Amino acid sequence: MNYFGLFRAIVCVYDTSMKHVDVIIIGAGIIGCAAARELSRYQISVAVLEKEYDTGFGTSSRNSGVVHSGIHYRSGTLRAIHAVRGNHMMQQLCEQLQVPFKPTGKLTVAFDRSQCEELKVLKAQGEANGVPGLEIIDVERMQRLQPGISGIQALYSPSTAIISPYELTIACAESAHHNGVEFHFGHTVSAIDRAEDGFIVHDAEGLCPIHAAIVINAAGLYADSIAQMAGIQGITIYPCKGEYYVLDKRLGDQLDVLIYPVPGHHSSGLGIHLTQTVDGNILIGPSTAYSDSKEHTGTTSEILRALRAAGHTLLPTLSEGDFIRTFAGLRPKLNPPEVGGFGDFILEDHDRFILLAGIESPGLTAAPSLALEIVALVRSHLSLVEKQHWSGTLPARERFLELPLDRQQQLVEQDPDHGSIVCRCEGITKAEVLQAVDRIIGPVTYTGIKLRCRSMMGRCQGGFCIPRIAQLLEEERGITMDQQQLKGPGSPMYHRHLRPEESTS
Amino acid sequence: MRQLQHVDIAVIGAGPAGLAAAAAARSAGAAVIIIERDDRAGGILNQCIHDGFGLQRFDCALTGGEYAHIDELACRDAGVELLTDTYVSSIERTESGFALHTMTTGLISVITAAAVILAMGCRERTAGAISLPGTRPAGIYTAGTAQRLTNMQNIMTGSRFLIIGSGDIGLIMARRVTLEGGSVAAVTEIQPYPGGLDRNIRQCLTDFSIPLYLETGIVEILGTDRVTGALIAPVGRDGLLDTTRSTHIPCDTILLSVGLIPENELTRSLDAVMDPVTGGPAVDEHLMTSVPGLFACGNVLQVHDVVDLVSQEAAHAGTCAAAYLRGERAEKRKTITLQAGEGIRYVLPQSMSAQGSTLLSCRVRKPMEDVTIQIRSGSELIYRQQLPYVQPSEMIQIPLDLSETAADTSVEVHCVRT
Ligand SMILES: Cc1cc2nc3c(=O)[nH]c(=O)nc-3n(C[C@H](O)[C@H](O)[C@H](O)COP(=O)(O)OP(=O)(O)OC[C@H]3O[C@@H](n4cnc5c(N)ncnc54)[C@H](O)[C@@H]3O)c2cc1C
Ligand SMILES: Cc1cc2nc3c(=O)[nH]c(=O)nc-3n(C[C@H](O)[C@H](O)[C@H](O)COP(=O)(O)OP(=O)(O)OC[C@H]3O[C@@H](n4cnc5c(N)ncnc54)[C@H](O)[C@@H]3O)c2cc1C
């Protein structure tokens, strides 16, 4: 502990008002939020500490959104066990939380004889892991599943699906919050002191230390620093970047099933491919390149060029106007660049400090299952009594333009704002944007609105709706122009008014 | 409550194109309604508070708003019905024409029309569309969005700007933010020539000593929360950016002026044949698309540089739509296709009837001096015109009359050195 940390610890000892909770979860990604929701079933107090200003601003909103079947992971590893169980749990969880889930199935395609051998190995491994319904299929079946597909043989895994990773993360957090979990945003954990009956967790912002009986490290890329704060040495996370393009929805209906190449033995990703999203866009990516920054999710011109080229080969009807956005995510790898490949997940209990590390793919898939495992570890220290009134479901969120006419009619009569379009590309109404604003647990940000209702996510990328949202936040929710932020304090959207407000209008 | 309304002609969009089309159709006797999603007519012109509109049509320099106001008054006087705050969410074909589903605060309804004129304008290309590398912090706007925020919502988007792309809107915004106390570090353009009109380069950049870097692209956007700068570099011999010569430009805001895309989602939903080069539907000399009764004009058809030509094109669409309703279809003649030949990027209309006449629009591929525009049908030269200078940012219009020619299958337009 540094001098400042010691000072703070002393201050806290005398501060009788120091906050206490039973469990602190560090990190509001899918792992932290899924665990928070599972723990919210019990009569304990839980706080989630997150350095960003919303849930899922880290890796959990920057991935392919595939619910993997579990064929790719060596039998007996945590990745294999939790991917298969997480996959099995996912559909029901999505139904409860009203998060779109699309069972697409997946084809891993072989182009030559040696790859056909690989398919057999993958199938055997998948079966050993308990993956249901695996079949090796011929060209004719492949064509039926995806007209126009190339390759000579494929492994079909029917349990592979797609979800919206950020919607799931947000919904888990919302469900946990409804059931009493506190969320503290803009709260960067900077030191952890072991106290007699637990831990004192400090923050970099100088807010207030919090005492907890149990700490769960779900800090993703920073799991190593957090582990070190708790006195656990020897863990290093190597960020490994995956860049993507998002394509216009126009092309979305060209893909029915997910199509992957046979992965190379030492590759650190599953190869550049096309992935459809639940909203009907297509992703090209992800690339694989180790990075030296855990914060830099910028894209690079060389990789974008390579992705564009790959896109044109994979989708011959692609035109230049179809590329609507780029993004990148960082895989929290345990294997250094010189080793490559994938390490296994770490999930360990260090005397009430629960350590998760190396939760890279299939971390999203595994999240519901890892959450159960985390609860089991918590139970070994705390008695967990179920709450009498726990509700694990969220109300349905309707997309106005996708509803039948009579339902639209009904909604417009209830709330006239349903008739007013704010986002033309995705067809999002004023009522939907305001609902998104009101669902936000922490500060209202443009990114938070975007991840909750898709406004600003379409082909014009906010060109049309940003001015309208600026006005709506000010007029309907009293958030003035100078308080409007992209993703939290420090990211102001606008600079100033041109003229003093009263002289206009 | 769901209302059903029937009109002869429904015009989608009340920008200058929609207004001129509606006025022309109305004066030809049709009952016309314009449907506009914004709270007022005028389209993109409402955010153009600079002058320079109407130089050709009215021989004086109006602001965008003034220009639109003239057409709006003309529509009202002629008895065109104008629905504002109303969004056309979808359109379908019916036995007697079209059904338009519309949304307004508190009301969804259906409007049926015997003919439809598309005048939805265009949207701007985005950072994703040009593969802008680097981070994606606050402070990146398309120039038109910044223009709307500045001129209609009293919001200054930043203080120190870098403008990427030299399209007209970017040039106009360079001057606008400078006049409001902001500074513009530079305008960069990846091509060897500017994308906007000469007069805008002079009046918006040169007069304010704002540098324009041609053949320069963006290596990386910098900043995690808000933009802090950008690395720019010249295009090297291999056509890629030469990163060894990159320069750091500190700025807090990036404006993108990298092109416009006609807004044709409704058009596509009707399966109209599209022109991949213009991004708009393919039309004949009556500006009718491949869907009978569906007409298009203005930026939804082809991106225009001056509004005067938009109004002219739109008035023609309005007149033709009214004639279509009266059943005045020229007796079925052979259809001739119009094709872009050497040096030409696109030609509009894409087809016309043999012996017909039209005002043809086209754009060249690159700037050239001392050229001849030639229109040929096979070996026959139908038309030729010498021009001292042509460039892609300036549309070329040619009155084409085929009544005296033998052209009967296709006609090509070429731009060759004289
Ligand atoms: C390119 C790519 C593609 C992927 N594709 C898939 C896929 O298709 N299917 C799949 O199942 N998985 C996929 N994954 C893996 C999946 O995205 C991750 O496993 C999962 O998102 C990890 O969630 P997390 O909650 O552990 O991490 P994160 O989402 O990163 O959450 C950690 C949180 O901790 C916060 N934090 C960090 N330090 C501190 C601190 N000191 N104080 C407070 N808060 C802190 C961070 O801000 C962050 O919000 C992919 C990953 C990548 C990168
Ligand atoms: C930002 C900008 C600056 C320009 N500056 C100049 C200049 O300085 N001088 C000059 O001469 N020319 C200029 N131009 C060119 C010229 O003004 C435009 O080409 C012209 O305004 C295009 O007219 P339009 O009617 O086709 O489109 P717009 O003006 O864009 O109008 C389209 C209208 O359709 C509405 N609409 C679209 N979809 C729907 C729907 N589904 N339902 C209902 N309504 C819908 C829109 O709200 C909009 O009002 C500029 C163009 C732009 C884009």
Side-chain angles (χ1 to χ4, degrees):
Chain A
M1 193 191 320
N2 60 24
Y3 175 73
F4 188 57
L6 187 65
F7 171 74
R8 274 190 318 212
I10 292 167
V11 170
C12 293
V13 173
Y14 293 103
D15 180 359
T16 48
S17 69
M18 181 168 48
K19 192 176 169 61
H20 169 84
V21 292
D22 295 317
V23 179
I24 280 180
I25 299 174
I26 305 172
I30 184 60
I31 301 298
C33 294
R37 178 174 179 275
E38 277 308 319
L39 287 169
S40 74
R41 293 174 189 268
Y42 306 101
Q43 297 177 22
I44 52 171
S45 53
V46 180
V48 179
L49 311 184
E50 168 58 55
K51 70 179 170 66
E52 302 297 325
Y53 292 88
D54 203 339
T55 59
F57 275 14
T59 308
S60 298
S61 60
R62 306 162 176 285
N63 56 58
S64 305
V66 175
V67 182
H68 288 297
S69 64
I71 53 172
H72 289 296
Y73 322 118
R74 206 154 32 82
S75 304
T77 58
L78 292 182
R79 292 172 82 218
I81 294 165
H82 292 290
V84 174
R85 188 167 70 161
N87 176 298
H88 188 65
M89 295 168 70
M90 193 62 85
Q91 183 159 8
Q92 196 195 0
L93 179 63
C94 288
E95 276 162 18
Q96 288 173 342
L97 297 176
Q98 299 287 332
V99 170
F101 173 95
K102 220 169 142 188
T104 50
K106 166 174 140 177
L107 295 175
T108 306
V109 179
F111 289 90
D112 59 37
R113 293 238 145 264
S114 76
Q115 288 187 333
C116 292
E117 290 306 307
E118 294 280 330
L119 292 186
K120 282 190 205 147
V121 176
L122 275 180
K123 178 165 182 275
Q125 176 169 283
E127 281 165 348
N129 292 349
V131 178
L134 294 176
E135 277 180 89
I136 289 185
I137 62 172
D138 59 11
V139 176
E140 196 190 322
R141 282 266 326 267
M142 288 162 68
Q143 288 292 344
R144 247 183 292 147
L145 286 166
Q146 180 66 58
I149 189 175
S150 43
I152 57 170
Q153 215 178 47
L155 175 59
Y156 179 48
S157 46
S159 64
T160 308
I162 53 176
I163 56 168
S164 161
Y166 42 87
E167 279 197 55
L168 181 66
T169 307
I170 290 169
C172 283
E174 237 171 74
S175 171
H177 190 59
H178 287 322
N179 289 298
V181 173
E182 294 170 23
F183 281 79
H184 299 258
F185 295 107
H187 194 124
T188 311
V189 172
S190 59
I192 301 173
D193 302 329
R194 259 192 200 266
E196 221 169 277
D197 47 357
F199 303 85
I200 298 171
V201 177
H202 302 273
D203 63 86
E205 290 80 8
L207 298 161
C208 187
I210 305 178
H211 178 269
I214 293 178
V215 169
I216 299 168
N217 175 0
L221 291 160
Y222 292 91
D224 50 356
S225 335
I226 300 287
Q228 206 157 24
M229 289 176 204
I232 299 162
Q233 309 298 336
I235 290 182
T236 308
I237 304 276
Y238 302 90
C240 176
K241 196 184 278 184
E243 299 183 28
Y244 292 90
Y245 263 110
V246 184
L247 300 182
D248 196 291
K249 280 187 172 175
R250 184 178 80 81
L251 301 156
D253 52 13
Q254 301 204 352
L255 287 183
D256 302 322
V257 55
L258 291 169
I259 300 168
Y260 279 60
V262 175
H265 279 294
H266 301 289
S267 67
S268 306
L270 291 178
I272 291 179
H273 55 271
L274 303 175
T275 308
Q276 50 276 54
T277 72
V278 279
D279 298 298
N281 300 88
I282 292 180
L283 305 176
I284 307 180
S287 57
T288 310
Y290 277 89
S291 155
D292 45 20
S293 162
K294 291 182 177 176
E295 291 295 325
H296 193 272
T297 51
T299 50
T300 56
S301 42
E302 308 85 75
I303 299 225
L304 292 182
R305 212 164 30 242
L307 292 180
R308 266 175 122 85
H312 283 296
T313 325
L314 294 165
L315 258 186
T317 57
L318 192 59
S319 79
E320 289 301 306
D322 292 326
F323 296 90
I324 63 174
R325 178 155 180 107
T326 65
F327 72 92
L330 296 166
R331 304 171 180 87
K333 286 203 172 281
L334 289 170
N335 287 359
E338 55 284 7
V339 178
F342 295 87
D344 197 12
F345 295 159
I346 294 178
L347 172 52
E348 293 167 356
D349 182 354
H350 292 253
D351 187 17
R352 287 179 293 162
F353 179 87
I354 297 173
L355 166 68
L356 289 119
I359 313 296
E360 56 169 312
S361 190
L364 174 68
T365 311
S369 171
L370 287 170
L372 291 186
E373 201 61 31
I374 292 167
V375 170
L377 293 176
V378 170
R379 196 189 296 277
S380 66
H381 301 290
L382 285 182
S383 89
L384 295 181
V385 181
E386 285 196 19
K387 286 176 184 160
Q388 270 185 335
H389 305 287
W390 182 80
S391 163
T393 56
L394 290 178
R397 289 185 296 277
E398 294 167 304
R399 294 280 303 275
F400 186 85
L401 275 192
E402 289 167 8
L403 298 171
L405 258 180
D406 46 347
R407 177 70 185 141
Q408 290 187 347
Q409 202 66 52
Q410 213 178 0
L411 283 176
V412 169
E413 277 159 28
Q414 281 167 13
D415 178 356
D417 285 348
H418 275 295
S420 169
I421 286 281
V422 171
C423 161
R424 62 168 173 206
C425 304
E426 297 292 309
I428 312 293
T429 67
K430 182 172 170 188
E432 285 170 89
V433 173
L434 288 174
Q435 277 164 11
V437 170
D438 297 338
R439 278 174 58 206
I440 295 177
I441 302 173
V444 172
T445 62
Y446 277 64
T447 307
I449 296 173
K450 165 172 122 171
L451 297 181
R452 283 169 181 80
C453 72
R454 291 193 57 76
S455 190
M456 301 173 266
M457 274 202 176
R459 45 178 75 94
C460 91
Q461 288 287 301
F464 181 78
C465 64
I466 283 175
R468 286 160 178 85
I469 290 173
Q471 190 178 354
L472 196 135
L473 288 178
E474 190 154 288
E475 288 173 2
E476 303 279 341
R477 292 296 180 269
I479 305 170
T480 54
M481 178 273 287
D482 51 307
Q483 298 170 311
Q484 298 184 12
Q485 307 279 343
L486 178 67
K487 47 190 172 182
S491 62
M493 287 295 289
Y494 314 114
H495 184 58
R496 60 176 167 84
H497 280 297
L498 266 79
R499 309 275 178 273
E501 272 290 72
E502 25 329 331
S503 71
T504 60
S505 95
Chain B
M1 193 196 61
R2 207 168 138 206
Q3 287 185 338
L4 255 176
Q5 189 177 355
H6 181 80
V7 291
D8 293 339
I9 298 179
V11 179
I12 310 179
L19 291 170
R26 179 78 196 97
S27 64
V32 184
I33 191 168
I34 314 184
I35 309 163
E36 167 58 50
R37 66 183 169 203
D38 232 320
D39 62 359
R40 67 194 97 180
I44 209 74
L45 296 181
N46 288 322
Q47 64 187 60
C48 298
I49 64 168
H50 57 281
D51 73 357
F53 295 84
L55 287 170
Q56 296 177 31
R57 187 170 160 211
F58 300 115
D59 198 22
C60 68
L62 305 171
T63 65
E66 287 168 339
Y67 185 101
H69 191 60
I70 294 176
D71 284 336
E72 188 186 345
L73 287 182
C75 278
R76 291 199 187 276
D77 287 348
V80 170
E81 190 181 345
L82 175 62
L83 279 185
T84 54
D85 272 321
T86 307
Y87 175 77
V88 177
S89 56
S90 64
I91 179 169
E92 63 201 76
R93 288 176 80 172
T94 62
E95 253 167 46
S96 55
F98 301 87
L100 288 73
H101 295 265
T102 67
M103 295 169 65
T104 314
T105 304
L107 184 72
I108 52 176
S109 65
V110 179
I111 294 172
T112 55
V116 167
I117 302 178
L118 305 170
M120 290 92 73
C122 56
R123 63 169 181 271
E124 297 176 278
R125 289 180 76 203
T126 63
I130 60 160
S131 301
L132 201 62
T135 51
R136 296 163 301 283
I140 305 176
Y141 292 97
T142 53
T145 300
Q147 189 179 44
R148 182 178 171 108
L149 287 165
T150 313
N151 293 346
M152 296 177 75
Q153 293 182 227
N154 193 27
I155 292 174
M156 185 77 167
T157 47
S159 62
R160 188 171 165 80
F161 294 78
L162 172 67
I163 298 181
I164 299 176
S166 57
D168 285 314
I169 318 169
L171 301 178
I172 298 225
M173 280 309 286
R175 174 175 67 185
R176 184 79 186 99
V177 299
T178 308
L179 290 173
E180 288 297 343
S183 66
V184 179
V187 176
T188 67
E189 170 58 59
I190 195 92
Q191 298 292 335
Y193 46 85
L197 299 172
D198 285 342
R199 72 159 196 248
N200 285 335
I201 300 281
R202 248 181 300 113
Q203 295 172 3
C204 301
L205 301 189
T206 319
D207 288 358
F208 293 87
S209 311
I210 297 169
L212 169 64
Y213 301 132
L214 296 174
E215 289 186 86
T216 301
I218 307 300
V219 180
E220 194 178 350
I221 300 290
L222 306 171
T224 44
D225 293 329
R226 174 88 195 188
V227 172
T228 57
L231 289 180
I232 66 171
V235 177
R237 284 222 190 83
D238 55 359
L240 300 176
L241 296 185
D242 179 357
T243 50
T244 60
R245 288 158 63 205
S246 63
T247 321
H248 175 220
I249 307 272
C251 60
D252 57 32
T253 310
I254 305 248
L255 299 186
L256 295 163
S257 182
V258 290
L260 301 168
I261 303 174
E263 179 124 22
N264 275 298
E265 279 65 39
L266 290 174
T267 324
R268 284 208 184 85
S269 76
L270 289 171
D271 292 327
V273 174
M274 303 298 293
D275 181 330
V277 183
T278 58
V283 290
D284 63 15
E285 74 266 43
H286 308 293
L287 301 181
M288 188 164 85
T289 66
S290 62
V291 179
L294 184 71
F295 295 77
C297 56
N299 279 351
V300 82
L301 179 60
Q302 58 173 335
V303 175
H304 288 260
D305 26 78
V306 282
V307 70
D308 309 63
L309 301 185
V310 170
S311 304
Q312 185 187 0
E313 178 179 274
H316 181 55
T319 309
C320 293
Y324 167 84
L325 287 189
R326 289 195 306 270
E328 288 173 21
R329 313 279 330 265
E331 78 273 24
K332 204 70 197 128
R333 289 215 207 90
K334 271 187 92 164
T335 302
I336 294 188
T337 60
L338 279 76
Q339 287 167 345
E342 187 184 334
I344 300 286
R345 207 163 73 81
Y346 74 80
V347 182
L348 198 124
Q350 288 80 357
S351 68
M352 64 188 290
S353 48
Q355 268 87 55
S357 63
T358 187
L359 181 67
L360 173 157
S361 312
C362 63
R363 283 184 197 269
V364 294
R365 290 189 176 278
K366 57 173 199 282
M368 281 164 79
E369 281 175 21
D370 297 322
V371 295
T372 305
I373 304 286
Q374 300 177 343
I375 302 183
R376 301 178 161 278
S377 174
S379 58
E380 187 191 359
L381 182 65
I382 302 173
Y383 173 94
R384 71 190 295 272
Q385 183 187 2
Q386 291 199 2
L387 292 170
Y389 183 69
V390 291
Q391 58 183 358
S393 61
E394 280 175 49
M395 186 191 288
I396 300 169
Q397 293 202 311
I398 301 164
L400 179 64
D401 185 354
L402 298 183
S403 58
E404 307 286 301
T405 71
D408 70 349
T409 53
S410 79
V411 158
E412 296 114 50
V413 183
H414 303 275
C415 173
V416 294
R417 253 180 235 296
T418 308

